[in-house]
Amino acid sequence: MTHFRISEAAELVGVSDDTVRRWVHSGILSVSHDAAGVQVVDGAELAEHTKTMALDAADVGQVRSSARNRFVGLVTKVAVDGLMAQVELQSGPHRVVSLMSAEAARDLRLEVGSKSVAVVKATMVILETDKEPNA
C-alpha cells in the first residue's frame, strides 16, 4: 500500500500542506503514521479525492464531451505571431500549452487571466514512476 507524507500529497495534488491538513481534520482524508512516526495519507484514498476534485473542476456547465482529460485553469500567456497563436494555461501544478490559429484565439477571447479548459484527447499517454517505489 502506497502512503505519502502530507507535504508529498500536497505537491502531488497541487495544493498547500495546510490544505491537506484541513482535509484530514475534516475527515476527507484519513491519516496514519509511518515507521518513523510521521503522518502519512493513503495513496489510494488521495487518488479518490483528486478524482472528485477533478469532476468538480471539470463541471463547466453547458458543454458535453467524450474527452475525459480536462484541465481547468487560468491563461498565463497568449503569443500571437501571424496566423498562429501559442496559449499557455496553468491548471494547478500543470502547465498546458496549446497551438492554434490566431483567429481561434481571438474568437475564444483568450487573454492572460481568463479562465479556460484544456481538453486533451490523445491516442498515447506515457507514464513514469520513480526508480525506487514509495514504501
Side-chain angles (χ1 to χ4, degrees), residues 69-132:
N69 303 312
R70 302 168 60 84
F71 298 90
V72 179
L74 289 174
V75 174
T76 57
K77 180 180 178 182
V78 179
V80 177
D81 185 16
L83 295 174
M84 297 301 295
Q86 177 180 326
V87 180
E88 294 183 15
L89 178 82
Q90 193 68 39
S91 177
H94 307 288
R95 177 178 159 255
V96 181
V97 179
S98 177
L99 300 176
M100 65 184 70
S101 70
E103 179 183 14
R106 281 190 300 276
D107 287 349
L108 291 170
R109 296 186 209 131
L110 294 172
E111 59 185 30
V112 173
S114 62
K115 177 181 173 184
S116 187
V117 180
V119 180
V120 180
K121 187 80 172 185
T123 58
M124 181 174 68
V125 176
I126 298 169
L127 299 178
E128 298 177 339
T129 62
D130 293 333
K131 289 183 181 178
E132 296 296 321

Side-chain angles (χ1 to χ4, degrees), residues 46-67:
L46 182 63
E48 280 301 313
H49 181 60
T50 58
K51 287 196 301 189
T52 301
M53 289 171 42
L55 289 174
D56 292 344
D59 184 12
V60 292
Q62 305 293 326
V63 178
R64 289 187 184 178
S65 175
S66 65

